[in-house]
Amino acid sequence: MAVVFERPHALTDKVFSYCPGCPHGIVHRLVAETIDELGIEDRTIGISPVGCSVTAYDFFACDMVEAAHGRAPAVATGIKRARPDNIVFTYQGDGDLAAIGMAETVHAATRGENITVIFINNAIYGMTGGQMAPTTLPGQITQTTPYGRDVKAAGYPIRVCELLSTLDGVALAQRVTVDSVKHVREAKKAIKRAFENQVNGRGYSIIEVVSACPTNWGLTPSEALCWLRDNMLPYYPLGVYKDAYPEEGGAKK
Amino acid sequence: MAEKVLMKGNEALAEAAICAGCHHFFGYPITPQTELAAYMAKKMPKIGGTYLQAESELASINMVLGAAAAGVRAMTSTSSPGLSLMTEGISYMAGCDLPALIVNVQRGGPGLGGIQPSQADYYQATKATGHGDFQLIVLAPSTVQEMVDMVFLAFELGEKYRMPAMLFSDGLLGQMMEPVVLPEPGDIKTVEKPWAVTGHGGKRKHNIVNSLYLEPNLLEDTVRARYERYAEAQRTEQRCEEFMVDDAEIVLVAYGASSRICRSAVTTARQQGIKAGLIRPITVWPFPNDAIQKAASHAKAFLSVEMSMGQMVDDVRLALNGARPTYFYGRTGGMIPSPAEVLEEIKKIQEGK
Ligand SMILES: Cc1ncc(C[n+]2csc(CCOP(=O)(O)OP(=O)(O)O)c2C)c(N)n1
Ligand code: SF4
């Protein structure tokens, strides 16, 4: 029988611990497929964050480091400076990347650290049970914004790609989502470019994935994707916010 | 033998670290460790190493963590307020069993405190350099030469026991100039690091550097195994210098800058017929309990002298376990005790006041 669909080599055989319908699994797969296609698993070092994907070190088959909450870009910097020939990526949630780790994020980006950042924006703190994130939408109900996010008291959500796109060190800042086959394909292409940039020594690349947290949004997986389309995408438009090497874009390989 | 050169403590330490094969320095500016980082900034680019000025001490310690996880010798240097920010990363490094060098050139605290020399971070260095059950190797130099020698020792012990190691200095030692002999290149003792993340190269299962154990029994087992290594370090790595301790009736205990002051106070006391001596902890962790207990066989009293409100004195008392009276004398906030003040304390004890 012909094999038509396989687990990427860069994923271990550990079963994901994510909730049913959580897009973390899709994004893990896209990262692993990319690592396979570029043939870089043997020299890749991944960094898992504090958040739902904290145990990503069990799922990716490359060498892995688990970082403190928000510090993944600093840990990645240390690894990359020690081993410039290795491929280093971080995988971070919105609380990790844009709240507690914003300083590390901005400075890794402005230094043009030659790393790849996969950023999961699900507008909520998943792991701790659904508190407000820096990306929680105005009016969005969470455990810590029970009356909806009041921007007068809690401020406005942060658009990370837009913010980072002003920095000279950034090679690629692109926002994608994985709510449909078409979007999954685009996300894959973007993630692949973010890794290729690193292989080519282009500097900091970030792919923001607009994601969902059905569990803490209190929705079924399919309702969550509808909510994502109706609410997240208008506030977080998909697209390329910075591409310092556009001539290398498009469908390579 | 290699030639003697006159160097500032902070710069000698930096040069020694490079000699020890540490080519990755991550730091954030703070007085009074400034010369150390400046020296690294000048030297590292010339030898193909990394000098990186991080955005904060939170970042710099986590960069050290990353580089250490990748298997290279890495270091940072800071002073007290910066060390406070690093405690998160240090706890993670201890939890990941990562060796690296952390230099604390102590200054007065709490808060922004001052920029003059101090020893008020002793509790932080030896009792709680972050959350959780863990220890660091903590080495306390008292001369510029020792700052050089201890850099090598810190890397070696850190790698042997898989612990972060701290060089516990202060503004006085950091700024002071003394003649030193720098080590010959090639004196580096390193160990294999099969646990490091280097890319698995298709040759082994993936390595994971991690401090998370969601199953409490696994976490307990890991911490207990780590504490067995700590116990081994406590058995075999206690280091101190004894000065006129053999027949001493009053034994001073002091490390780093304050030990230099105590040495002259002891010398003067002896000239005046008082049998004083000095135990100078070189490792403040593991604390030299054995030497203190041994001295208790002839000493009548102990006096801990510190540039703090009294922190190490607790360890002296714990070592003695009530066997002998233990006194404390200290100045704080950047004030340095004078030999005359210390002599006065010795005399008070002698006269039973
Ligand atoms: C220093 C620190 N503060 C707080 C926490 C608790 N904590 C764990 S996960 C988390 C939020 C993670 O949210 P996010 O980054 O959005 O990732 P997600 O869980 O949604 O994937 C928090 C606050 C922690 N582990 N460490
Ligand atoms: S809590 Fe939310 S983000 Fe976390 S695994 Fe479940 S669905 Fe995914």
Side-chain angles (χ1 to χ4, degrees), chain A residues 24 50-52 69 93-96 100 122 124-128, chain B residues 88:
Chain A
H24 267 309
V50 170
C52 281
H69 198 17
D94 42 49
D96 196 79
I100 196 165
N122 59 10
I124 207 152
Y125 283 11
M127 191 190 206
T128 38
Chain B
E88 176 194 68

Side-chain angles (χ1 to χ4, degrees), chain A residues 9 12 41-45 50 54-55 57-69 71 73-79 81-83 86 100 103-105 107-108 111 113 127, chain B residues 24 26 50-56 58-60 62-72 88 92 96 196-202 204-214:
Chain A
H9 192 270
T12 65
E41 185 192 314
D42 57 343
R43 61 182 176 120
T44 296
I45 302 167
V50 170
V54 64
T55 53
Y57 54 76
D58 275 337
F59 305 138
F60 287 107
C62 55
D63 277 1
M64 295 292 293
V65 177
E66 202 294 303
H69 198 17
R71 316 292 173 230
V75 173
T77 298
I79 296 174
R81 297 295 180 113
R83 301 200 171 273
N86 284 85
I100 196 165
E104 285 80 359
T105 293
H107 285 272
R111 283 193 304 269
E113 278 316 323
M127 191 190 206
Chain B
H24 294 87
F26 305 92
T50 297
Y51 166 84
L52 199 157
Q53 182 170 321
E55 56 273 26
S56 71
L58 282 171
S60 54
N62 281 286
M63 291 171 184
V64 171
L65 184 153
V72 303
E88 176 194 68
Y92 276 72
C96 294
V197 289
T198 56
H200 63 51
R204 54 163 169 77
K205 216 177 145 265
H206 67 160
N207 279 346
I208 299 172
V209 172
N210 174 36
S211 62
L212 177 70
Y213 297 82
L214 288 168

Side-chain angles (χ1 to χ4, degrees), chain A residues 35-177:
Chain A
I35 292 174
D36 281 5
E37 286 165 26
L38 297 178
I40 52 173
E41 185 192 314
D42 57 343
R43 61 182 176 120
T44 296
I45 302 167
I47 299 153
S48 57
V50 170
C52 281
S53 46
V54 64
T55 53
Y57 54 76
D58 275 337
F59 305 138
F60 287 107
C62 55
D63 277 1
M64 295 292 293
V65 177
E66 202 294 303
H69 198 17
R71 316 292 173 230
V75 173
T77 298
I79 296 174
K80 190 72 185 182
R81 297 295 180 113
R83 301 200 171 273
D85 296 336
N86 284 85
I87 301 301
V88 181
F89 77 93
T90 71
Y91 187 103
Q92 302 175 257
D94 42 49
D96 196 79
L97 182 139
I100 196 165
M102 189 53 125
E104 285 80 359
T105 293
V106 169
H107 285 272
T110 201
R111 283 193 304 269
E113 278 316 323
N114 191 27
I115 59 172
T116 303
V117 175
I118 308 298
F119 166 39
I120 306 296
N121 174 3
N122 59 10
I124 207 152
Y125 283 11
M127 191 190 206
T128 38
Q131 297 83 13
M132 182 185 77
T135 48
T136 291
L137 296 175
Q140 187 182 337
I141 290 172
T142 70
Q143 192 189 69
T144 50
T145 53
Y147 311 109
R149 181 175 187 159
D150 172 6
V151 294
K152 284 209 195 82
Y156 293 87
I158 297 176
R159 295 184 180 96
V160 170
C161 275
E162 288 85 333
L163 187 106
L164 295 183
S165 66
T166 65
L167 302 174
D168 290 342
V170 174
L172 176 67
Q174 184 171 350
R175 185 179 291 124
V176 298
T177 189

